Amino acid sequence: MQPLTLDAFVTRFILQQPEKPQQRPAGRQAAVLVPIVAREAPGLLLTRRSRELRKHAGQVAFPGGMQDDDDASLVATALREAQEEVGIDPDQVKVLGQLAPVTSSTGFRVTPVVGVISPEITLTINPDEVESAFEMPLEEALRLNRYASLEVHRAGLRHPVWLSVYQEYLVWGMTAGIIRSLSQQIAF
């Protein structure tokens, strides 16, 4: 199999866009940026959330958060949050599209926004929200066999949870599910 290049990823992603909803969905909305780092061998930028946060402290995540009333769209939400959390200027992101929304454990409908960023971007980490940022090779991240399923029981219901380990990072829950969905979408 040939190595995954940025062009191959972009082509596969664009050809497999999810259906767009016709109406604005009800409920609490959020968005995350899935930043693809434009290298010869592309990377996937992830963060480790601050251990001081009330929710999801210390977890690996994508930059993102709740939609504000001022946000023109969920894409705008993802870009704003990425700027607030790790200092990525929205003008430095080439948005490719969106993945199908997922529902978080806290009841938010989260839309993953896939975008390409330059490897030259200097991150400015907001320590109130993010402990650190790291890059995972995209080809490695998209290998489906790296994800294991765990069944969690909450409020009498079963919830499948995906998990994986990369270096010293445990990637699990919604973040692992988003990466796995991206992999399934582009069928790498």
Side-chain angles (χ1 to χ4, degrees):
M1 180 190 304
Q2 301 235 351
L4 178 64
T5 64
L6 183 62
D7 287 342
F9 170 81
V10 169
T11 299
R12 287 180 179 184
F13 181 80
I14 290 174
L15 290 176
Q16 299 295 327
Q17 284 289 300
E19 291 182 28
K20 298 218 182 329
Q22 300 301 318
Q23 300 175 353
R24 183 179 172 115
R28 300 183 305 170
Q29 303 294 308
V32 296
L33 180 63
V34 180
I36 308 299
V37 183
R39 300 187 186 283
E40 185 174 327
L44 180 65
L45 182 69
L46 294 155
T47 67
R48 177 176 278 161
R49 292 172 52 86
S50 168
R51 295 178 196 277
E52 305 302 316
L53 293 171
R54 241 179 353 110
K55 294 184 180 175
H56 311 295
Q59 291 183 6
V60 170
F62 291 112
M66 189 170 73
Q67 185 176 32
D68 285 351
D69 292 338
D70 308 6
D71 293 338
S73 66
L74 288 167
V75 170
T77 299
L79 295 175
R80 176 183 52 75
E81 288 284 343
Q83 185 170 32
E84 289 174 7
E85 291 181 17
V86 292
I88 299 173
D89 186 306
D91 293 335
Q92 295 178 305
V93 180
K94 177 184 176 188
V95 175
L96 299 179
Q98 303 173 11
L99 293 172
V102 294
T103 302
S104 74
S105 62
T106 54
F108 281 90
R109 186 174 187 268
V110 180
T111 299
V113 175
V114 179
V116 177
I117 61 172
S118 167
E120 307 302 318
I121 289 177
T122 301
L123 300 179
T124 306
I125 293 176
N126 176 348
D128 293 335
E129 297 190 49
V130 175
E131 178 180 292
S132 62
F134 66 98
E135 193 175 321
M136 181 179 189
L138 184 61
E139 188 168 334
E140 178 69 19
L142 297 179
R143 276 191 315 107
L144 281 174
N145 65 354
R146 77 174 346 293
Y147 298 93
S149 178
L150 176 70
E151 201 167 88
V152 175
H153 299 267
R154 188 180 325 130
L157 299 173
R158 292 192 224 182
H159 301 275
V161 175
W162 294 102
L163 48 99
S164 179
V165 174
Y166 174 70
Q167 295 178 349
E168 72 272 14
Y169 300 100
L170 175 63
V171 182
W172 70 285
M174 187 173 63
T175 302
I178 289 170
I179 299 169
R180 194 172 178 284
S181 292
L182 179 60
S183 180
Q184 289 175 310
Q185 180 174 321
I186 69 163
F188 181 71

